[in-house]
Structure formats: structure tokens, C-alpha cells
Amino acid sequence: MKKLYILLIFNTFLCFSQSKTIYDFDKLIESNPKDVSNYYSRGLLKASKYDFAGAIKDFNVVIIDNKRNLEALYNRALSKAELNDFTGAIADLTTILKFDSKKSDIYFKRSFLYASQGNKTNACLDARKAYSLGSVDAKSLINMLCN
């Protein structure tokens, strides 16, 4: 799962300067602690360096500021999953689905997490939902979990 997560982070990370370091974000946050975008960016950077606990702390600041920040919820869920906090990751993905119930990729990821917990019933339900919303990849999970 780490390779998938790092690939997702890398694609997002390309949106801002590659030369920024955690120290740079620390200084930006110190000078303007109310600008939560710096916490979000630092969280992405920390996650790219496998500091998932640190990333979660930064994403928490963003989510406290805006409970509807789906990107922060998503990245916090992925970071929690990397730390084997599948229950926490599932809770974050469930929150995302409360705001947007048509995200097939979220159902797919949540299905995978349910399966990782041994919860085949919910994994199968989410895989089927992801497939019905257009996730072609969910078909392999359905074949594996639901038959």
C-alpha cells in the first residue's frame, strides 16, 4: 500500500515547489499559523517521507479548520492505513462518502480496508458499490470477496 500512497502523494506534490522542505513549512506556519494550506502541504511532504504520524497531525489541523476538506480527510485516511489504523481510515473514508456518495474510488479503497480487517461482508458491499459507480478495478475484488 505504501507504493500506491507515495505515488498519489507524488502526483499531488508536483503541484507545489519540489524545493520546499519541512523546515520551510515550519517557518511558514510559524509566521502565519492560521494559513492551514501550509499544514496540508507539510502533511503531504511528511507522508512522502513516510512520517505518517506527523502527516496525520498536520491533516488534523486542516480538518479542524474545515471538516469538509475532502483532500485532507482522504490523505489522513491513507496515512492511517499506512499505520495499520484501518478503523480510523475507514471512518475518514466514510466521512468523505457522507459529503459525496458517488466517489467510486473511495468505496473501492474502503472495500480493500474492510477486507484487510477480515470484514468480507462490508468489503463485498463496498466493492459492489464501487463497481456500480464505474470502478472497473472493483470487479477483481468482487470476484475475490463475494463469491
Side-chain angles (χ1 to χ4, degrees):
M1 189 138 176
K2 280 185 181 172
K3 288 179 184 173
L4 172 63
Y5 183 67
I6 296 304
L7 180 61
L8 291 170
I9 289 298
F10 180 72
N11 288 334
T12 304
F13 191 66
L14 289 175
C15 295
F16 59 88
S17 174
Q18 291 280 338
S19 63
K20 291 235 187 273
T21 65
I22 290 175
Y23 175 80
D24 293 326
F25 285 114
D26 290 344
K27 289 298 180 189
L28 287 169
I29 289 167
E30 184 179 302
S31 69
N32 188 3
K34 293 185 179 188
D35 183 356
V36 296
S37 68
N38 290 321
Y39 287 94
Y40 180 75
S41 297
R42 187 175 70 178
L44 291 175
L45 182 57
K46 285 180 178 179
S48 75
K49 295 177 180 287
Y50 302 100
D51 177 10
F52 298 110
I56 289 168
K57 287 178 184 176
D58 283 341
F59 296 138
N60 285 343
V61 172
V62 178
I63 294 164
I64 288 168
D65 181 68
N66 178 3
K67 292 182 184 350
R68 291 180 176 244
N69 188 317
L70 303 185
E71 291 88 13
L73 281 163
Y74 178 75
N75 284 295
R76 186 174 73 175
L78 293 178
S79 293
K80 286 178 178 180
E82 289 297 341
L83 296 175
N84 294 322
D85 178 8
F86 300 130
T87 302
I90 288 168
D92 283 346
L93 296 178
T94 300
T95 299
I96 292 170
L97 291 171
K98 287 178 183 174
F99 294 119
D100 186 350
S101 63
K102 301 293 183 195
K103 291 188 166 284
S104 65
D105 60 317
I106 302 300
Y107 282 104
F108 180 79
K109 284 174 184 57
R110 195 172 70 169
S111 174
F112 182 79
L113 292 171
Y114 277 132
S116 296
Q117 287 184 315
N119 185 339
K120 288 179 100 175
T121 301
N122 283 340
C124 182
L125 288 171
D126 274 2
R128 289 179 194 266
K129 182 68 173 182
Y131 186 71
S132 75
L133 292 171
S135 173
V136 181
D137 295 332
K139 185 66 174 167
S140 61
L141 274 178
I142 292 169
N143 291 337
M144 189 172 64
L145 299 169
C146 305
N147 296 326

